[in-house]
Amino acid sequence: MSSWREFIRDVEPYVPGEQPRGDSVIKLNTNENPYPPAPGVERAMREMDPAMFRKYPDPSAGMLTEALAKRYGLERDQIFVGVGSDDVLGMAFLTFFNSQKPILFPDVTYSFYPVWAQLFGIPYETPRLDADFRVKPQDYKRDNGGIVLANPNAPTGIYLPLDQVEDIIKANQDSVVIVDEAYIDFGGESAVPLIPRYDNLLVVQTFSKSRSLAGMRVGYAMGQKELIQALHNVKYSYNSYTMNMPSMILGTEAVKDEAYFQETTRRIIATREEAKRRLGDLGFTCTDSRTNFLFITHEKAAAPELFEALKNNGIYVRYFPASRTKDYLRVTIGTEEEMEVLYKFLESSCLDRI
C-alpha cells in the first residue's frame, strides 16, 4: 500500500437524494419547490449579457446582500451569502466550533451536521428527541461548544415554538447557536427578530425551498455584525469568489417579488394540509409538519417496501434507514396534480400487501 493513502482524510460523506432523469417521474424526494421562480427571475435570465461572465463576480455579493437586508430589516453587514445553505452552514461550523467542548444537535435531524463535525474534527453529542420527535429544550442547557437546531426540523417537519428557541439561545450565550431555517417559510415564526437581542445567534436560510432556486445554490446567514465578519474572514481565507454572478442577479430578483413568494408558499401549505387529510384517510400517520414535506408512517405497509414500490412506479420519495426513522418516509409536497398521482397509486396498491 502506497504511503500517501495513509494520509487521506477518511470521512463518511453526506448522501444526497436521488436525482432521477426523465419527464415521466414524480419527484417527491428532495424537497424542491414544484413551482417556477418569480417572473422577474426569468426576465433577468433573458436579459443577461454573456460578456459579464469574463469578469470575476463581486465577492461580497453586494446586490443580493442589499436586497436581503432590506427584506429582513437588517444592515448589509449583518448578512452573509454562500453557495446554498450547505455552504453557509459548513462555513459556520468551520468558523465558530473550535473549542474542545462538544457541539449539540438532535439525534434525528439534517444528516449533514455529523458529516461537517467529523470533517472538521469537531466533537459532538446528539440529545435524543422525545417519542414524538420533538426537541427537549432542557437537553441543551449544559456545557457545550455550540448548538445547531434545524427549525422546523428535518426530516420530521416538526416546528419548535420561538419562545422555546429563545430559551435555548438565552441559556447558551457563551456559545454560538445556529438556527437552520431552511423550511421556516412554510409555517413557522423565524428567529430573525431575536438577532438584536443575542450576539450569539446565527440564523441560516436558503433559496432552494420557498424561492424555487435549488438549481442556483443560494443560501444566507443573518446575525450581528461580529458573527458575520467572522464568517467573511474565514471565507476570504478559503475562497473569495464563492457565488457566481447569475446566482446574485437571479437571487436578487427572487427577493424583490414578495407577492409571488407569499402566494407560492400559501399554495404549498394548502396542498400539504390536504395531503395530511388524504394520507390520513389511507391509514398513514403524519407528524405535524410545518415544512414543504410530510414525514409519514403506515401501520401495515413497511416503509422500505413501500419506498421501493413507489420508485418502481415512477414516484420518488425519501427513505432514511436509521433506527428511529426506518418506519417512515419523507414525501415532498408537489403540485396538486403530482399529489393526485401519489394518492391514486396508494389507493390502488393494497397497502396491507406491500
Side-chain angles (χ1 to χ4, degrees):
M1 178 176 175
S2 301
S3 61
W4 60 264
R5 291 187 174 87
E6 300 176 30
F7 305 104
I8 294 175
R9 189 179 297 277
D10 185 19
V11 294
E12 185 174 342
Y14 170 76
V15 180
E18 188 173 355
Q19 295 292 339
R21 296 183 179 183
D23 297 329
S24 60
V25 301
I26 303 295
K27 191 171 182 297
L28 307 176
N29 66 330
T30 50
N31 299 343
E32 295 146 330
N33 196 311
Y35 302 110
V41 173
E42 181 180 355
R43 183 175 60 251
M45 289 179 64
R46 293 196 304 266
E47 295 174 355
M48 278 186 191
D49 180 2
M52 74 171 68
F53 300 136
R54 68 183 179 83
K55 296 181 179 180
Y56 285 110
D58 174 9
S60 70
M63 68 171 69
L64 180 56
T65 55
E66 185 175 338
L68 286 167
K70 182 177 180 181
R71 200 272 182 183
Y72 289 98
L74 299 171
E75 301 296 325
R76 275 185 54 176
D77 50 9
Q78 292 182 281
I79 307 284
F80 175 88
V81 300
V83 185
S85 60
D86 287 343
D87 178 46
V88 175
L89 287 163
M91 199 70 66
F93 271 60
L94 186 60
T95 302
F96 301 118
F97 299 153
N98 292 291
S99 75
Q100 298 303 309
K101 301 175 183 178
I103 65 171
L104 308 177
F105 48 82
D107 67 325
V108 179
T109 191
Y110 186 30
S111 53
F112 225 141
Y113 300 158
V115 174
W116 285 313
Q118 293 165 22
L119 179 63
F120 299 135
I122 302 167
Y124 68 94
E125 296 177 2
T126 54
R128 187 178 175 86
L129 299 177
D130 71 15
D132 296 318
F133 293 119
R134 296 187 180 277
V135 168
K136 296 178 287 184
Q138 64 270 23
D139 289 346
Y140 296 84
K141 296 179 180 180
R142 57 187 171 94
D143 201 28
N144 64 77
I147 291 173
V148 188
L149 293 173
N151 195 38
N153 198 10
T156 66
I158 293 176
Y159 170 70
L160 185 67
L162 188 58
D163 61 337
Q164 296 184 44
V165 173
E166 182 172 13
D167 189 36
I168 293 171
I169 299 166
K170 185 183 296 185
N172 290 280
Q173 295 185 56
D174 289 333
S175 58
V176 172
V177 178
I178 298 174
V179 182
D180 180 359
E181 294 186 340
Y183 302 99
I184 197 67
D185 298 320
F186 300 107
E189 188 177 359
S190 174
V192 170
L194 301 179
I195 288 174
R197 301 182 218 170
Y198 300 99
D199 61 5
N200 63 319
L201 169 62
L202 190 75
V203 180
V204 178
Q205 295 190 13
T206 178
F207 282 43
S208 296
K209 317 302 181 186
S210 56
R211 296 193 184 275
S212 306
L213 285 176
M216 294 307 299
R217 313 307 301 126
V218 182
Y220 54 106
M222 297 170 281
Q224 290 198 22
K225 297 176 182 180
E226 186 177 1
L227 286 183
I228 300 303
Q229 185 60 55
L231 281 169
H232 279 296
N233 290 346
V234 172
K235 171 191 171 181
Y236 292 144
S237 300
Y238 176 69
N239 182 356
S240 57
Y241 297 108
T242 54
M243 178 166 285
N244 64 65
M245 202 172 295
S247 292
M248 294 180 201
I249 294 170
L250 303 184
T252 300
E253 290 301 320
V255 174
K256 288 179 180 178
D257 198 334
E258 184 70 17
Y260 183 85
F261 163 75
Q262 295 292 345
E263 175 58 26
T264 301
T265 53
R266 277 196 297 267
R267 289 178 71 182
I268 292 170
I269 290 168
T271 306
R272 180 191 71 204
E273 295 307 303
E274 173 67 7
K276 289 179 182 178
R277 184 187 69 80
R278 295 284 295 272
L279 291 171
D281 290 344
L282 291 169
F284 285 93
T285 299
C286 307
T287 59
D288 182 20
S289 174
R290 301 290 186 91
T291 65
N292 68 336
F293 62 83
L294 294 177
F295 198 51
I296 65 174
T297 186
H298 197 279
E299 183 179 358
K300 296 181 179 179
E305 285 79 2
L306 182 54
F307 169 78
E308 290 296 338
L310 286 163
K311 183 176 177 178
N312 291 337
N313 283 269
I315 303 171
Y316 286 74
V317 298
R318 194 79 190 269
Y319 175 61
F320 300 93
S323 60
R324 295 195 69 190
T325 58
K326 61 183 176 61
D327 295 327
Y328 289 80
L329 297 176
R330 192 192 70 188
V331 182
T332 304
I333 301 302
T335 63
E336 293 178 6
E337 293 77 14
E338 289 173 328
M339 299 305 287
E340 284 295 335
V341 174
L342 172 67
Y343 305 143
K344 287 179 180 177
F345 171 78
L346 294 173
E347 288 167 353
S348 63
S349 67
C350 299
L351 285 167
D352 58 341
R353 298 180 184 175
I354 292 178

